[in-house]
Amino acid sequence: MVGMTDGLRDISSAFSSKSWLQLLALLALIIAVLSPTLGGDFLWDDFDQIVYSPTIGDLSKIPFFFGHNVVQSAGGEGRGADGVDTYRPAFFVALSLIHTINGADPFWFHLAVLTAHLLVCLLLWMLAIRWLDSRLAAFLAVLFFACHPVTAEAYLWSSALSEPLAAAGLLAAVLILDRRCGDGKSDGRALAAALVSGLVLLAGLLAKEVVLTALPAASLFLVMVRRVRLRFLAPVWLAAAVFLFIRSFALAGLQATGIDAAHRLAAIKIFPMLVLDGLRAVVTMQPVGIRHLSWEYAGITWLQSFAAAGICIVVLAAAIALRKSTPLVLLATLVSGSMLAPIALVATVPGWGGFGRYLYVPLAVTALAFAQAGLTIHRRLVRSRPRLRWAIPVLVAAVLVIEQVGLRHAIWVYANQENLARTAIEIFPEGPDGWLWLGDVYLEKNDLEAARNCYLEATERGPELFRPRHNLAAALYYTGQPEAALEQLAVLDSLHPPTADGSRVAAMALIELGRWDEAAQRLVQALDQDPDDAPLVGLAKVLVTEHPQPE
């Protein structure tokens, strides 16, 4: 046992004396375990934001991105789901630059996300070796962060590129301030570094705005723990103000969501549950896949919310009590809470998907907090309970092994749309989105019967939603049930304004039933709304050709 202890001490010493070797080993290990992701397909929002986007790849559109929201930047109209408005021009600039390499080739987009993730790991490593007095602990903390299966949503999915880009901006700004302005430094170089940190943070905010919510906690930590003078924080806060001005000018306001008081009240109710759900996911490394929290949280009561809030208060109180021995625990607690607060708003929006990517930055800080807490406990055990000195190393080894098993599953989940859809159904079978995705997969395979059944399942779970019922109507028509298709479209028209796609399906079903005049009336109405719709124009020509009374 003594020999093994000496061996571990030698390894730790080698890491300490050759930090560059440890860093290379760390990055090589991360690349090795994540390299299979480069063969993944496009998923979910990738199709709207990359594959079918008329703006991505056109470098002349770069100024356009800085004046429009995410939906418009991708070539759509209006805002996101239920009025959600987001602003990420740097993200779309990055997508366009990647697209110029080889078009909509998923390999290059996955490579870009992996590269950005490695950059975040590098920055986290540089912070870890400054904040933790053990390079081995720093190595393990960054490895834990890099391979976490729940946050894989942020680095195994092309459209999540905004997450590591924004995280890199935040961590780089903190690193610059800590390294050049910490320990009470106040020379001219410190001021120059502070100005650079502001520019870096602004770049990160332009990739994704949510990292702004971590700035208060990071500023508090830098001042109270790392002894950064307040005046050196002025540039990062100025950068935040500049970003808010740019965003407000581009989107005609600051609001992202939270349309009314009822919406905001619902967000307040689910917020404590969301925080505890995030903590559970970080610790258990489950569930893996895209979650739709609006469906999962629909049944939360105020009693459950108050109970969850009580637990959150206890956790915060414990973090405050431990702030002197483990200050990173308090930082992780504050960052996690502040960054999940705006997510509570979008988590009330039906159909809004995502969970793991929202934990990406909180996990980065939490990984360092776990390492600091583990080091503290381990050293106390070595002094007071030497027989238990192996407890923490064994626990760390077990966690990393379990994490790698979870990562293998995550790589499978994010490999293609079918796996993602099946996993969404497995996570929450009562939600409509997984069934809708799986129906689209079957439709792509031309398995119309299976697609129809999936759309039926989705419609039963979300009867008010447009896309499941529209797709069900189309599937019913193509499987020889035009009457049933028209019934679904009638329900759809009572819930939503008629669309060109819906009118086309309705007209085809009416033609199939020989109801020529009704088909002509539906087509005329649709063409009045959208005269340039090519499928409608083509169907009108067919109608004129086949109508028994074409005049």
Side-chain angles (χ1 to χ4, degrees):
M1 190 68 73
V2 174
M4 292 181 65
T5 303
D6 291 338
L8 287 174
R9 189 178 295 114
D10 291 340
I11 293 173
S12 179
S13 176
F15 278 144
S16 299
S17 61
K18 296 183 178 180
S19 60
W20 62 269
L21 184 60
Q22 183 186 11
L23 176 59
L24 288 178
L26 174 63
L27 295 179
L29 180 58
I30 295 171
I31 292 172
V33 298
L34 295 182
S35 58
T37 67
L38 297 177
D41 293 340
F42 283 125
L43 307 168
W44 191 21
D45 284 351
D46 293 344
F47 296 101
D48 288 334
Q49 295 186 348
I50 300 173
V51 180
Y52 304 130
S53 170
T55 59
I56 297 302
D58 183 357
L59 298 184
S60 67
K61 291 287 186 180
I62 288 179
F64 175 83
F65 300 145
F66 285 86
H68 295 82
N69 64 22
V70 164
V71 173
Q72 294 162 341
S73 294
E77 297 180 356
R79 303 169 74 181
D82 206 19
V84 177
D85 223 0
T86 47
Y87 181 66
R88 299 166 192 171
F91 165 60
F92 281 96
V93 170
L95 291 183
S96 285
L97 293 175
I98 299 164
H99 194 280
T100 60
I101 299 174
N102 194 36
D105 183 345
F107 171 82
W108 293 104
F109 287 90
H110 283 295
L111 180 61
V113 176
L114 178 57
T115 302
H117 182 53
L118 289 172
L119 174 60
V120 174
C121 293
L122 171 62
L123 293 168
L124 188 63
W125 155 255
M126 296 175 74
L127 286 170
I129 60 175
R130 295 182 61 79
W131 295 352
L132 302 172
D133 55 354
S134 167
R135 293 183 182 274
L136 182 56
F139 182 98
L140 297 174
V142 176
L143 182 62
F144 175 71
F145 162 76
C147 302
H148 201 285
V150 173
T151 57
E153 182 183 330
Y155 58 85
L156 299 186
W157 173 37
S158 298
S159 288
L161 176 61
S162 59
E163 300 293 339
L165 290 179
L170 175 67
L171 294 181
V174 171
L175 176 63
I176 293 169
L177 289 170
D178 184 68
R179 188 170 183 176
R180 299 299 181 188
C181 306
D183 296 325
K185 295 186 181 74
S186 59
D187 55 16
R189 289 187 298 177
L191 178 59
L195 294 173
V196 172
S197 71
L199 294 175
V200 171
L201 178 64
L202 179 60
L205 290 170
L206 290 170
K208 189 171 184 180
E209 56 265 79
V210 73
V211 293
L212 177 62
T213 59
L215 189 56
S219 298
L220 182 66
F221 178 80
L222 288 170
V223 171
M224 301 299 294
V225 179
R226 304 303 296 176
R227 297 177 56 229
V228 174
R229 296 181 184 273
L230 273 174
R231 65 175 180 271
F232 293 128
L233 294 178
V236 292
W237 282 97
L238 178 61
V242 169
F243 168 76
L244 291 176
F245 174 79
I246 296 172
R247 187 188 192 280
S248 179
F249 182 78
L251 306 189
L254 289 175
Q255 182 172 303
T257 186
I259 299 170
D260 51 34
H263 191 179
R264 292 188 286 271
L265 189 62
I268 292 172
K269 181 172 68 173
I270 70 171
F271 173 62
M273 297 294 293
L274 178 62
V275 173
L276 291 187
D277 203 0
L279 178 60
R280 176 187 64 87
V282 167
V283 173
T284 65
M285 295 179 271
Q286 291 289 337
V288 176
I290 302 294
R291 297 174 63 182
H292 292 83
L293 299 178
S294 63
W295 309 117
E296 293 188 44
Y297 290 174
I300 290 177
T301 65
W302 278 107
L303 180 60
Q304 292 172 315
S305 177
F306 287 136
I311 297 173
C312 291
I313 291 172
V314 170
V315 172
L316 178 59
I320 293 173
L322 296 170
R323 67 188 183 280
K324 291 186 178 179
S325 60
T326 53
L328 288 173
V329 172
L330 180 57
L331 175 63
T333 303
L334 295 176
V335 167
S336 298
S338 61
M339 291 197 69
L340 288 176
I343 306 308
L345 285 169
V346 296
T348 63
V349 176
W352 188 271
F355 178 68
R357 66 184 186 274
Y358 304 135
L359 300 175
Y360 188 70
V361 173
L363 176 64
V365 185
T366 301
L368 301 187
F370 282 166
Q372 189 175 63
L375 272 175
T376 302
I377 296 171
H378 175 67
R379 286 166 179 168
R380 289 178 180 175
L381 289 176
V382 169
R383 289 195 303 269
S384 60
R385 300 285 184 87
R387 291 184 178 180
L388 297 178
R389 65 184 179 275
W390 291 101
I392 297 299
V394 169
L395 177 61
V396 170
V399 167
L400 292 178
V401 170
I402 294 171
E403 182 181 58
Q404 287 302 311
V405 174
L407 180 62
R408 294 304 99 190
H409 177 60
I411 291 174
W412 176 85
V413 168
Y414 290 98
N416 57 63
Q417 187 69 15
E418 181 173 357
N419 294 351
L420 192 68
R422 293 188 182 279
T423 305
I425 295 171
E426 182 181 333
I427 291 173
F428 192 67
E430 297 308 310
D433 298 275
W435 293 104
L436 174 62
W437 291 351
L438 189 57
D440 292 343
V441 169
Y442 282 126
L443 190 64
E444 193 75 21
K445 294 180 177 181
N446 205 32
D447 189 344
L448 298 178
E449 295 287 343
R452 182 195 63 199
N453 293 336
C454 289
Y455 294 141
L456 181 61
E457 296 281 357
T459 301
E460 290 174 351
R461 288 160 173 77
E464 76 286 357
L465 299 179
F466 172 82
R467 186 53 57 185
R469 194 175 295 276
H470 171 271
N471 288 11
L472 173 60
L476 286 168
Y477 167 75
Y478 285 115
T479 53
Q481 301 177 68
E483 284 281 9
L486 289 172
E487 290 176 7
Q488 294 296 331
L489 289 169
V491 175
L492 194 64
D493 289 345
S494 70
L495 297 171
H496 303 276
T499 64
D501 286 344
S503 296
R504 182 171 57 85
V505 175
M508 290 190 299
L510 290 167
I511 291 173
E512 183 79 14
L513 295 170
R515 294 157 59 177
W516 301 97
D517 291 340
E518 292 178 64
Q521 183 179 10
R522 187 67 184 254
L523 272 177
V524 168
Q525 292 173 348
L527 285 168
D528 284 342
Q529 293 178 338
D530 194 353
D532 296 324
D533 186 274
L536 286 177
V537 173
L539 187 58
K541 294 178 180 178
V542 171
L543 182 64
V544 170
T545 302
E546 299 182 1
H547 197 294
Q549 295 179 314
E551 65 278 2

